[in-house]
Amino acid sequence: MKRIMSFAGLAVLIIGATAAGIQSPQPKPYKVVFDLTTDDPQDQAAVLRWLREVASVNPQNEMEVVMYGRGLALVVAGRSTLGDEVKQAIGRPHVSFRVCEIAMRNQKLEKSQLLPNVATVPDGIGEIVARQKEGWGYIKAVAH
Amino acid sequence: MKRIMSFAGLAVLIIGATAAGIQSPQPKPYKVVFDLTTDDPQDQAAVLRWLREVASVNPQNEMEVVMYGRGLALVVAGRSTLGDEVKQAIGRPHVSFRVCEIAMRNQKLEKSQLLPNVATVPDGIGEIVARQKEGWGYIKAVAH
Amino acid sequence: MKRIMSFAGLAVLIIGATAAGIQSPQPKPYKVVFDLTTDDPQDQAAVLRWLREVASVNPQNEMEVVMYGRGLALVVAGRSTLGDEVKQAIGRPHVSFRVCEIAMRNQKLEKSQLLPNVATVPDGIGEIVARQKEGWGYIKAVAH
């Protein structure tokens, strides 16, 4: 009887190990902040692609895009050429878009002019620095 | 008597809370190093604007601009197109400009050719890495 | 006798100090990851120059170039215009080149098409974030 139980236990272990082996080896989740200051369409497309790819590596990865300077163009309604893609990205979990309010004042933009669910922060550079301080990775979103 | 004291205590609390509310909520000071390797006039203007804006958020914020590669053009006397703005920025507290000495040798530049109060560091990349190690935030100063 | 010994001691101190002065003051070694996403020839040349210069500051410095997006062009055999320089850089200790496998799939590139000794990583952005987490410095390799 003892032997049968051991055997059963072993079988459970083997099945468990096999199941773990079948699911692709999920890397540890990470957090990354993208610093976007350009309105270059290729840079904008790149950052949206990176958001998809980072999520594909591990759906638990946290991503934040902080925009200031010309980076705001990506999320201004009626001006963004990638508005649909931005909306899709914002709709996914663990993705946020945050616009610098100083840059908004410089460019005379109101919150109502931003695409839906785009957040704002008082200070874009301060937001990025705070994320780095919290241990987030930093990527300057320039692709060209 | 007990009641009066309680009332007095409450009044103190309310006044204290109001006073705290009146002073604008100063965010915690931070430190940030800007990595400037371009001589693009728009990038140069952007980094000077960011220095002003970071200081406006909290005058205690520490800022350092490290220049190497083509970034040196901003602080070479007679070549910089934004010399006056650089001088103003250097004159403010908590702002420093540091030029990589390796880049200076590559470009056959002497310290005497730099704008007043521009400092040098033996190794610009090493300076930036050391700042990150010390917990400073990092911003690549590319705006286009 | 006491006087002679003191004098001898002083001489040792002076000789020791002079010897220490002669050897250049080696700065503490550091680790830095370069984030390369451009195929601009000037940016490519800059990152290769920085690898040489960082090593010249302290041969123990650790350097890693992570390439994704258009950054791959630097290490694709027959396409890179700086292939010889890349090979020389890879041949030096403490230097590694790592290509993002997601970017390789996007661009339909096989490992066999990369220059010799160029490594790959499953996720270029994840690699950079992991290095930052480990305390490596981060430099966005954009020079223009």
Side-chain angles (χ1 to χ4, degrees), chain A residues 1-13:
Chain A
M1 178 60 187
K2 207 175 170 190
R3 201 174 197 173
I4 293 170
M5 277 185 69
S6 299
F7 183 79
L10 190 66
V12 166
L13 275 177

Side-chain angles (χ1 to χ4, degrees), chain B residues 35 37-40 43 68-70 102-103 106 122-123 125-129 132-133 138 140 142 144, chain C residues 30-32 34 40 42 49-50 53-54 56-57 61 132 134-144:
Chain B
D35 168 353
T37 51
T38 164
D39 56 3
D40 181 293
D43 288 342
Y68 55 109
R70 296 197 221 168
I102 300 171
N106 289 346
D123 169 16
I125 289 176
E127 172 75 10
I128 292 170
V129 172
Q132 291 181 67
K133 199 90 182 159
Y138 168 87
K140 180 75 185 192
V142 182
H144 64 285
Chain C
Y30 61 81
K31 300 176 180 186
V32 57
F34 293 97
D40 181 295
Q42 290 183 317
R49 190 179 69 242
W50 294 336
E53 292 171 349
V54 168
S56 77
V57 170
N61 286 341
Q132 292 180 66
E134 290 164 22
W136 289 51
Y138 168 86
I139 296 284
K140 181 74 182 192
V142 182
H144 65 284

Side-chain angles (χ1 to χ4, degrees), chain C residues 97-123:
Chain C
F97 284 74
R98 304 199 177 181
V99 173
C100 175
E101 292 169 11
I102 300 171
M104 289 179 68
R105 286 194 294 274
N106 289 346
Q107 301 173 35
K108 306 198 191 320
L109 282 169
E110 301 291 329
K111 289 191 190 191
S112 60
Q113 295 174 265
L114 302 178
L115 293 175
N117 300 316
V118 171
T120 68
V121 287
D123 170 15

Side-chain angles (χ1 to χ4, degrees), chain A residues 29-40:
Chain A
Y30 61 82
K31 300 177 180 184
V32 58
V33 59
F34 293 98
D35 169 353
L36 183 67
T37 52
T38 164
D39 57 4
D40 181 293

Side-chain angles (χ1 to χ4, degrees), chain B residues 16-139:
Chain B
T18 309
I22 287 167
Q23 71 181 65
S24 77
Q26 187 91 299
K28 248 185 89 179
Y30 61 81
K31 299 177 181 185
V32 58
V33 58
F34 294 97
D35 168 353
L36 182 67
T37 51
T38 164
D39 56 3
D40 181 293
Q42 291 182 317
D43 288 342
Q44 293 178 333
V47 79
L48 289 165
R49 190 178 71 242
W50 295 337
L51 292 176
R52 286 192 306 272
E53 292 171 350
V54 168
S56 76
V57 170
N58 184 333
Q60 298 304 316
N61 286 341
E62 288 282 340
M63 292 151 271
E64 181 173 317
V65 183
V66 176
M67 290 150 285
Y68 55 109
R70 296 197 221 168
L72 273 62
L74 180 62
V75 292
V76 176
R79 201 202 294 178
S80 175
T81 55
L82 292 164
D84 286 342
E85 286 200 51
V86 171
K87 284 177 198 172
Q88 278 178 27
I90 291 180
R92 294 198 302 269
H94 310 299
V95 174
S96 65
F97 285 73
R98 303 199 178 182
V99 173
C100 176
E101 292 169 12
I102 300 171
M104 288 179 69
R105 284 194 295 274
N106 289 346
Q107 301 173 35
K108 306 198 190 320
L109 282 168
E110 301 291 329
K111 288 191 189 191
S112 60
Q113 295 173 267
L114 302 178
L115 292 174
N117 300 317
V118 171
T120 68
V121 287
D123 169 16
I125 289 176
E127 172 75 10
I128 292 170
V129 172
R131 288 308 192 196
Q132 291 181 67
K133 199 90 182 159
E134 290 165 21
W136 289 51
Y138 168 87
I139 295 285

